Amino acid sequence: MENMQHTGAYKERGALNKLLSLTPEERARGVLAASAGNHAQGLAYHAGRLGVKSTIFMPLGTPVIKVTRTKDYGAHVELTGANYDDAFAACLERSSSGTGEVLVHPFDDPTVIAGQGTMALEMLDIQPDLDVLVVPVGGGGMISGIAKVVKQINPNIRIVGVEPAKIPSMALAVSGITDPHAPVTTIADGINVRKVGKITREICTELVDDWATVTEEEICRAILFLLEGEKTVAEGAGAAGVAAIMAGKLGDVRGKKIGTVICGGNIDVNAISQVIECGLVDSGRRLHFSMDIPDRPGTLSVLINQISTMQANVVEVKHERTRMASFGAARVHMTLDVRGDHHANEILDTLRAYYKDSSHIAVDRN
């Protein structure tokens, strides 16, 4: 449950380990980093605690809350570039300019990797007989640290790396495709990494047993499950491991003891409602559909009463008379809360039977 860390993510483990490894002279020169969120906050927080000056390069589009928190922890923030790669390039330029500050890479650094691996020690202390460990993967720092620890203690534990289906950069890299991935947008922004690390790729090639990918819908469903079931908030990257387990991406694991890492909880508040909506639709608990009904007084009331008798809750209804699909008809768009796919299909079948002359009943799965 790394979302319970002070900065809301596991990244502060590696950042702190790196800071503690610096000499007094290096600490006096300060540290540099590039990050779109979690690494920035973790490094800024612990640098502030230790009295080390920190400068963080962040993309221009970084959510305001992440920039504000990073500044509040004491870091100087430089907003530059359209994405992480641009920010990292600016950070490297600063690092090579002779200022003397120590560059703290978010994942491709042995000391950072070792820091991330401490969570594996804690997991195995709690549950030493794990069979499978499922780990979200972006640049590979977390899974590399975990794999190093786990395989030394118990080589029989199967380690599965999970990436967004939109951008499986590490799985591609270990298969030999090392070119930067094309830019994408994903709810799992914390593991949206176009090019993985050289050190992490080598470790993953050696120690990670299997790879899995999860869709945006599967991630949203996992976030919703954690909100409802565990009463905890996970960001997209943090829920990726749970998503893989829920979606059956691990093969036959019946009777196995499975562990995963909720690696972060810094989700944009503005995105939560969209994530919940996506999770409800994907789990079959929210139904969007449109249909044509006779354009006569009282017809809409009859439709809503029918839905009420089938124990569905109307969330939203839109009645259009200006875009009639056929003469004498009106189009109705509805959103319902239902009990699952079976209940949704029961409602649709009933409506199709009653409005058998209707020219349009369509379900929106998005």
Side-chain angles (χ1 to χ4, degrees), residues 105 107-109 113 139 144 170 173 178 195-205:
H105 198 283
F107 49 81
D108 209 32
D109 180 301
I113 291 169
S144 294
M170 185 61 82
T178 57
K195 186 173 178 62
V196 303
K198 181 178 182 295
I199 298 171
T200 57
R201 177 172 60 85
E202 291 173 353
I203 295 172
C204 287
T205 301

Side-chain angles (χ1 to χ4, degrees), residues 61-253:
T62 303
V64 174
I65 186 62
K66 293 185 178 181
V67 177
T68 302
R69 284 178 179 170
T70 303
K71 290 180 177 179
D72 288 345
Y73 289 137
H76 172 69
V77 174
E78 295 276 356
L79 293 173
T80 181
N83 51 44
Y84 167 78
D85 294 317
D86 293 342
F88 186 64
C91 182
L92 285 179
E93 183 178 349
R94 169 73 169 264
S95 178
S96 61
S97 67
T99 59
E101 295 147 304
V102 178
L103 176 64
V104 182
H105 198 283
F107 49 81
D108 209 32
D109 180 301
T111 309
V112 172
I113 291 169
Q116 319 301 24
T118 57
M119 71 184 79
L121 293 172
E122 296 169 14
M123 293 180 75
L124 292 179
D125 183 56
I126 296 169
Q127 192 72 49
D129 56 345
L130 280 176
D131 297 304
V132 184
L133 190 49
V134 186
V135 186
V137 180
M142 177 169 60
I143 196 171
S144 294
I146 287 175
K148 279 281 191 181
V149 171
V150 167
K151 291 299 185 179
Q152 287 187 24
I153 295 175
N154 184 354
N156 294 320
I157 295 177
R158 177 185 168 213
I159 298 177
V160 181
V162 181
E163 298 177 284
K166 285 186 172 183
I167 185 164
S169 297
M170 185 61 82
L172 292 172
V174 299
S175 71
I177 303 173
T178 57
D179 293 334
H181 197 285
V184 303
T185 300
T186 170
I187 185 64
D189 60 301
I191 50 176
N192 185 357
V193 176
R194 295 179 58 206
K195 186 173 178 62
V196 303
K198 181 178 182 295
I199 298 171
T200 57
R201 177 172 60 85
E202 291 173 353
I203 295 172
C204 287
T205 301
E206 177 188 0
L207 299 178
V208 178
D209 299 295
D210 294 298
W211 298 93
T213 61
V214 286
T215 66
E216 301 297 289
E217 293 77 15
E218 288 164 346
I219 294 171
C220 289
R221 187 174 182 178
I223 294 173
L224 181 61
F225 168 79
L226 289 167
L227 275 172
E228 291 187 318
E230 297 299 323
K231 309 301 183 286
T232 192
V233 177
E235 60 186 270
V242 175
I245 296 169
M246 291 177 62
K249 301 294 181 75
L250 309 181
D252 187 3
V253 290

